[in-house]
Amino acid sequence: MRKNELLEVTFKLALLIIAYSEELEKAGKYVIARQIMRSGTSIGANSRESQGAESRADFIHKLKIAYKEAQETEYWLLLCQESQTYPNPDEDLVSHLKSSLKLIGKIISTSKKSK
């Protein structure tokens, strides 16, 4: 079976998101924890859904949704980093998110060019 880097990176990211969301909930930061959980786990879900796309356009569309969710997650994490009352996200989490953004962006760009 061939390795799928996109699915591996976004799955690992989702696991890190879950752990950080749980940390936020323990700190009583429920609203942001839920926002991060929704957008952060949606990245992997949409990436995985793209693998069963019905067409190239559908594939690109699903990855664009994943990219938007990654951008939203980046926003929430930045808020947590800048807030003095929130636990900082782990560097591994931030690194995985940035890797996911780059990878998804590259796949979208390459897919558009190979029409």
Side-chain angles (χ1 to χ4, degrees):
M1 184 180 211
R2 200 167 146 211
K3 232 170 93 167
N4 187 320
E5 184 181 358
L6 174 63
L7 297 184
E8 287 182 14
V9 169
T10 57
F11 187 79
K12 172 69 174 166
L13 174 62
L15 293 174
L16 294 168
I17 288 289
I18 290 168
Y20 183 59
S21 294
E22 289 173 351
E23 182 182 343
L24 288 173
E25 287 195 358
K26 286 178 187 170
K29 309 299 186 184
Y30 303 107
V31 174
I32 299 294
R34 289 185 191 117
Q35 291 285 77
I36 289 173
M37 178 71 91
R38 283 186 189 109
S39 64
T41 56
S42 179
I43 301 163
N46 282 291
S47 295
R48 188 171 182 112
E49 189 176 343
S50 75
Q51 303 304 294
E54 296 175 11
S55 64
R56 182 185 314 267
D58 188 36
F59 175 75
I60 292 169
H61 175 71
K62 287 175 179 15
L63 285 183
K64 282 183 176 180
I65 294 170
Y67 191 83
K68 287 179 184 181
E69 294 293 338
Q71 288 180 312
E72 180 182 340
T73 303
E74 185 176 46
Y75 173 78
W76 295 122
L77 293 179
L78 184 60
L79 279 178
C80 292
Q81 285 176 322
E82 296 297 320
S83 174
Q84 294 179 359
T85 62
Y86 277 71
N88 276 327
D90 184 87
E91 282 303 314
D92 198 29
L93 170 57
V94 174
S95 174
H96 264 77
L97 178 60
K98 288 181 181 184
S99 294
S100 295
L101 274 164
K102 285 180 187 177
L103 183 58
I104 294 167
K106 181 69 175 166
I107 294 169
I108 291 168
S109 176
T110 301
S111 297
K112 284 180 175 181
K113 289 178 185 174
S114 62
K115 284 184 178 181

